Amino acid sequence: MPDLPQHRSVLAGTAHSSIAASGIRLEALPEGHLLHVLGAIEPAALAAELAKAGFAESSIRKAGFRQWFVAGDQPLAHAGLEALTAALAGKAFVTDQSHGRLRIGVSGHSSRLLLSKGTAVDLDPAAFAEGSSVMTMVGHISVQIARTGDDTFELTVLRSFAESLWEDLSYMAASAVKDEA
């Protein structure tokens, strides 16, 4: 049926697939899956349940009090979601956010400089170690920042704000390159 909506990536196309500047790389990450888990379950127990349900390659990111985002590059399998929901029954609730949020990768030796232009979060490795995550604002947009490596971050944003965030990051990247020069 031609009148059915077609899925398209918000940041698809050459203009939004990636930007590389001196010391900075912005990249639209695979849409994969993003689950919001709410409940009184510890991260280690959640990780065990994720592995059983086929989400072993996913990462767990704190999103608030008794809240986590489970992010991964693989598309969401309905059977896996059902298995996870059943396993967490009585302990936590699972909401699929895969179609409502996007992830943007920010990497390179100037990535912290770029992000410091938009947020007040202390991204120094001593204060924000690999595996850390925080809900914050980048400019006027609510995002989750997760440190995934030494100079590598993932920003999770509501789908409707993804293009605006991408434009802001692109502008900040150009400014960060000028500041380094």
Side-chain angles (χ1 to χ4, degrees):
M1 298 179 147
D3 59 342
L4 291 177
Q6 299 295 315
H7 176 77
R8 89 169 174 84
S9 175
V10 171
L11 299 175
T14 57
H16 293 319
S17 59
S18 68
I19 294 176
S22 177
I24 298 171
R25 179 173 171 79
L26 300 178
E27 180 180 16
L29 298 174
E31 291 195 19
H33 63 271
L34 186 74
L35 305 175
H36 191 189
V37 178
L38 299 100
I41 186 169
E42 295 299 319
L46 177 56
E49 296 299 342
L50 287 168
K52 289 182 215 172
F55 295 99
E57 299 298 315
S58 300
S59 64
I60 300 171
R61 297 160 182 188
K62 188 150 183 69
F65 179 69
R66 293 185 174 176
Q67 296 183 52
W68 296 267
F69 280 139
V70 175
D73 293 341
Q74 301 304 315
L76 183 64
H78 186 68
L81 179 59
E82 284 182 347
L84 181 62
T85 301
L88 295 179
K91 298 178 239 172
F93 297 95
V94 180
T95 305
D96 178 15
Q97 296 288 305
S98 303
H99 299 295
R101 297 179 190 258
L102 296 178
R103 296 176 301 135
I104 297 173
V106 179
S107 60
H109 69 272
S110 296
S111 57
R112 285 190 295 137
L113 176 61
L114 174 140
L115 293 173
S116 72
K117 293 181 175 294
T119 187
V121 174
D122 183 357
L123 298 172
D124 186 270
F128 196 74
E130 187 173 338
S132 297
S133 63
V134 64
M135 296 298 296
T136 188
M137 302 292 283
V138 172
H140 68 285
I141 301 170
S142 177
V143 301
Q144 180 189 52
I145 299 176
R147 183 180 220 121
T148 58
D150 189 38
D151 288 323
T152 308
F153 300 87
E154 282 187 17
L155 281 61
T156 303
V157 62
L158 287 169
R159 183 179 207 83
S160 58
F161 289 102
E163 286 181 302
S164 181
L165 178 61
W166 185 271
E167 290 171 6
D168 289 351
L169 291 171
S170 299
Y171 178 78
M172 289 187 290
S175 176
V177 169
K178 286 180 190 174
D179 288 351
E180 264 198 345

